[in-house]
Amino acid sequence: MHFCHSLLFFFFGQVVSSITFCNGPSGICLSYLLSGHRPYLKEKVSHPNPILHQKVQEIAGEPLLEQNLEYLSEGLEGRSLSPLSLLLDALLRPEGDLGGTAESLLTWRRDPGQHLAHLVLGKGPIGGAWQAMEGSMVTLSLGEWMELPDLSFRDWMMRRGRQLRNNRATTRDVAQYYQHYVQAKSLQQNFCSGMLVTSVRLLWRDETGAWNTVTEWGMGAADPSGMLFEVQGVEDVQGSRQRPFRVFARTVVLATGTYDCPARLGVEGEDLPNVFHTIGDLERKLQARQLGPDSDPLLVVGAGLTAADAVLLAQRSGVPIVHAFRRAVHDSTLVFNQLPALMFPEYHKVHDMMACQPLTSSGPYRGYTSLPCHRVLCFHPSGKITLEDCGGKGSKRERRIFDISMAIVLIGSNPDLSFLPDGGRGLALNPCQPVSAKRNPLDTDPFSYESTRQPGLYALGPLAGDGFVRFLQGGALGVTSSLMKKHCHATFAERYIALDKSIC
């Protein structure tokens, strides 16, 4: 979540132009753009895509934000569904998907007159979820795809005497890069860490000038001057104390990511003290030496990359592992079957373990047992686990019981939007279902990233369907373009409204 500590107090009781929730890469990139930094097309440009090449020739040397972005992005294809994300990626990395090294077509300039006052609130340190990851793990994406505008990740690594591993970076390097970026670009005044948002209310001003709470979002005032967001929460201060805060904004940008609420199995015993749902829990157990070669097996549930990371962590410590997952090993939808083996050798090692070492046969991986096509039925207080073979039919579904020391369930995660009415369901593509980055993201305009259900509310990153850092910059560009257009239509008096004392 994003807020600026200094601005928080100066604007307390007044309206701030924009508030962003979450201080990960999406929020950092947006803060950079809102601080007046703008992308310009270089004077002499050439692009391998002939259609895009012709378009950029017409605007060489011009500011990108002043162009028709919908026209420029028309016809582009790639690994994102967002046309703006594809456009900015194509301009920043002309040969990105081809492994080429063509230089960026963009250069960055700062115009102080384009600065928009904003706050960035985050629960933890700058970098968001990257700060909570086990530091030795390597990124799924190429290291250079983790970079933010106008600061080469590879060059930054070289200055620190570090190198990419097979063109990929460790999560520790990425987290440190994001913290350094905020300092290098002088964005610190826009960020405030230790801020937990607990409530966002929509307010509208009636004919008498009184402010009222909008109970049903999407029904707010059409006139932006008659609508405000009230953001409340608690701030961590010295020691374990907390103090409440409240601030008002014309716009709110949600960039919370998807790591706040781990997905659960929903089975009996899942709340027992030896059942966990984040890889951080496993790291702490290993660091405390509460798991080791002589322990009962660790149960890992899940067949994604995080589950694979857990298997690798436990294996390095010699912990015996039982690995259960619902799909077949060679299911084409398994992520391992979609990754090039040369680029991701560690994940293909786990996939090989899953394939060649089931319960019924021995293999080269000591202490590891694979249970494909199995689901958890229940966890027992005695430390046992009941699994069912879901590959069989009817009465043929065999059940197995194991003694385990600990279970870690890694089957995905969901965003925490509990501070929004009904958890944000009314803003999603399907309002009848919970918000999910993969299955039910927020319904946003593809070029402004503004909610189609609630004016003034924006979403970035996974909440808007952009799951990779590589494509986040397009969303930040869309939000900035939209806010600048609104800014140009607002008077000074409309941008900063002194609220009635009754609301403050």
Side-chain angles (χ1 to χ4, degrees), residues 295-314:
S295 305
D296 282 334
L298 162 72
L299 174 69
V300 177
V301 181
L305 298 182
T306 307
D309 288 332
V311 169
L312 292 170
L313 275 175

Side-chain angles (χ1 to χ4, degrees), residues 245-390:
F245 69 84
R246 178 167 61 165
V247 70
F248 303 88
R250 289 272 178 238
T251 58
V252 166
V253 183
L254 303 174
T256 58
T258 62
Y259 290 96
D260 289 323
C261 297
R264 296 172 64 88
L265 295 168
V267 300
E268 182 182 347
E270 196 168 1
D271 292 320
L272 289 171
N274 68 331
V275 182
F276 300 89
H277 295 82
T278 72
I279 197 167
D281 296 309
L282 174 59
E283 293 164 8
R284 286 185 285 273
K285 291 289 185 181
L286 293 173
Q287 290 170 1
R289 300 185 183 280
Q290 295 177 0
L291 290 174
D294 297 328
S295 305
D296 282 334
L298 162 72
L299 174 69
V300 177
V301 181
L305 298 182
T306 307
D309 288 332
V311 169
L312 292 170
L313 275 175
Q315 189 190 44
R316 284 200 291 266
S317 297
V319 178
I321 304 164
V322 172
H323 186 188
F325 45 98
R326 294 180 62 108
R327 296 178 184 174
V329 173
H330 299 294
D331 188 321
S332 60
T333 61
L334 274 187
V335 66
F336 307 102
N337 293 316
Q338 303 170 31
L339 299 177
L342 290 178
M343 286 185 62
F344 306 97
E346 74 280 18
Y347 290 132
H348 277 273
K349 173 189 173 182
V350 175
H351 191 214
D352 186 58
M353 294 166 66
M354 294 163 63
C356 72
Q357 203 143 316
L359 184 67
T360 55
S361 65
S362 59
Y365 302 106
R366 182 181 178 186
Y368 173 87
T369 299
S370 171
L371 293 174
C373 301
H374 277 69
R375 68 185 183 99
V376 176
L377 289 183
C378 67
F379 299 96
H380 302 279
S382 61
K384 295 181 183 295
I385 172 79
T386 299
L387 299 167
E388 181 179 65
D389 184 348
C390 48

Side-chain angles (χ1 to χ4, degrees), residues 168-230:
R168 294 157 65 203
T170 66
T171 52
R172 181 182 295 108
D173 288 329
V174 175
Q176 292 176 353
Y177 167 83
Y178 292 147
Q179 287 191 319
H180 173 80
Y181 186 92
V182 170
Q183 296 177 348
K185 301 303 180 181
S186 301
L187 305 177
Q188 303 97 311
Q189 70 273 16
N190 302 325
F191 286 77
C192 191
S193 300
M195 310 291 282
L196 175 64
V197 173
T198 57
S199 169
V200 177
R201 290 197 305 158
L202 183 62
L203 309 176
W204 66 278
R205 188 167 52 186
D206 61 24
E207 302 81 10
T208 68
W211 290 93
N212 305 276
T213 300
V214 177
T215 55
E216 185 177 352
W217 284 36
M219 303 296 289
D223 180 5
S225 66
M227 185 179 70
L228 284 176
F229 292 96
E230 178 200 60

Side-chain angles (χ1 to χ4, degrees), residues 434-457:
V435 176
S436 166
K438 292 183 178 180
R439 295 178 294 277
N440 195 31
L442 300 189
D443 191 0
T444 58
D445 180 89
F447 292 97
S448 71
Y449 282 70
E450 187 171 17
S451 169
T452 60
R453 310 290 174 84
Q454 181 53 60
L457 186 75

